[in-house]
Amino acid sequence: MSSVVVATLVGFSSPAVAAVEAPHVGAKSAYVIDSAGTVHYGKRHTKRMPVASLVKVMTAYVVLSEAQLSDVIRVDAIDVRYAARGGAATAGLRAGERFTVRDLLYALMLPSGADAANVLARHYGPGKTAFVAKMNRAARALGLSDTRYTNADGMPTPANGGHSTAADQVRLAQHAMRSSVFRTIVGKPVHRVAKTAVHRAHVWHNTNKLLDRADDVLGVKTGFTRAAGYCLLFAGERNGREVVGVLLGDQNERRFTTAERLLDYADDQIAFG
């Protein structure tokens, strides 16, 4: 091939690479980074905001740091009442049922069960106040300097509500995803628990629609409250790197479409470097 043809091909390909633009992001805050430390997108990513049920990522992180997956915990009436009273998403747990920690983590992360969060926090605090203190200590240890937790489920509190930032949430997810157990749980579309002598049969579906919309998606977690809007913490494999991102204060369906576009954008950036 002549040097003229090579030059022409190079000249042709360069504008195509340069034409790759970041997708429009309508969320109030967003952040995307890959495992090599390259930041692919940032929008108000250091602004403190409520993060709704993304809080449950830290709940799972703390539980995994000290629990045995085979531990069996009883659901109390207070756990069921707590979730019902607050109008939170639940895993449909009933008082008196007993579950392993492994199953409770699925109940926590897939249907975003506030009842499961209450069970775990109450048991591993012990007591919810002590558990929240553990969450905040873990946040400080991980360098999440703009994060403060007030409960284990992300539901709004009357005063002194918790907060985090997009940057902190991505950093937390990167740490959490180092656990093979956590990765398996958040990447599973559905988890079925067969009926036993100590609990009914349960089927928990993952609220993260991105798992079905894009290839090589690893998780991680959805969230919603009126104060936080629709949130999505997401991760995927792109060009040999793990890309983790978050959208805070978005619209329901748009968050999944935007996340898919951000993963594709990161893919292009990694490929053409």
Side-chain angles (χ1 to χ4, degrees):
M1 184 178 294
S2 70
S3 60
V4 174
V5 174
V6 172
T8 300
L9 290 175
V10 171
F12 176 78
S13 63
S14 294
V17 174
V20 176
E21 296 182 358
H24 172 73
V25 175
K28 293 179 180 178
S29 178
Y31 193 60
V32 181
I33 192 171
D34 67 33
S35 51
T38 302
V39 176
H40 295 283
Y41 190 87
K43 176 183 179 180
R44 301 190 186 99
H45 52 281
T46 60
K47 179 179 175 60
R48 292 180 174 181
M49 301 175 63
V51 297
S53 285
L54 302 193
V55 163
K56 296 184 178 87
V57 174
M58 179 58 88
T59 301
Y61 181 86
V62 171
V63 169
L64 285 168
S65 71
E66 59 182 83
Q68 297 294 319
L69 295 176
S70 58
D71 289 350
V72 176
I73 307 175
R74 183 183 186 276
V75 179
D76 286 349
I78 191 172
D79 304 313
V80 179
R81 287 198 303 269
Y82 170 80
R85 185 171 59 247
T90 79
L93 307 184
R94 289 186 181 178
E97 289 187 301
R98 297 177 184 271
F99 295 92
T100 65
V101 165
R102 184 188 297 275
D103 284 336
L104 284 170
L105 287 171
Y106 276 106
L108 175 76
M109 299 304 290
L110 271 62
S112 200
D115 43 4
N118 209 68
V119 173
L120 291 165
R122 181 175 49 75
H123 186 83
Y124 287 104
K128 293 193 291 182
T129 299
F131 189 84
V132 171
K134 289 181 178 180
M135 294 171 71
N136 285 312
R137 284 198 296 272
R140 290 193 295 271
L142 294 175
L144 311 183
S145 57
D146 289 308
T147 296
R148 178 176 178 270
Y149 296 104
T150 58
N151 56 39
D153 53 76
M155 290 296 290
T157 51
N160 299 319
H163 58 254
S164 187
T165 66
D168 275 5
Q169 286 301 293
V170 167
R171 189 175 299 113
L172 171 59
Q174 287 179 312
H175 283 283
M177 293 292 283
R178 293 175 185 172
S179 163
S180 60
V181 174
F182 183 87
R183 289 173 75 93
T184 297
I185 291 171
V186 299
K188 196 170 181 181
V190 61
H191 181 69
R192 292 177 171 83
V193 180
K195 180 180 179 180
T196 71
V198 295
H199 60 67
R200 297 174 302 134
H202 290 269
V203 180
W204 295 314
H205 294 273
N206 201 322
T207 57
N208 185 1
K209 296 180 182 179
L210 192 61
L211 289 167
D212 299 322
R213 293 193 180 187
D215 295 331
D216 300 319
V217 173
L218 306 174
V220 176
K221 186 74 185 72
T222 63
F224 171 76
T225 62
R226 289 182 181 178
Y230 288 93
C231 303
L232 176 64
L233 186 58
F234 58 93
E237 291 286 348
R238 292 295 182 272
N239 253 299
R241 298 185 193 176
E242 183 171 296
V243 178
V244 180
V246 70
L247 297 164
L248 303 178
D250 206 349
Q251 296 175 4
N252 188 7
E253 292 300 317
R254 186 177 67 183
R255 58 183 164 166
F256 301 111
T257 302
T258 302
E260 184 176 2
R261 290 173 179 168
L262 284 168
L263 285 172
D264 289 343
Y265 175 67
D267 191 21
D268 290 337
Q269 296 300 299
I270 294 168
F272 299 116

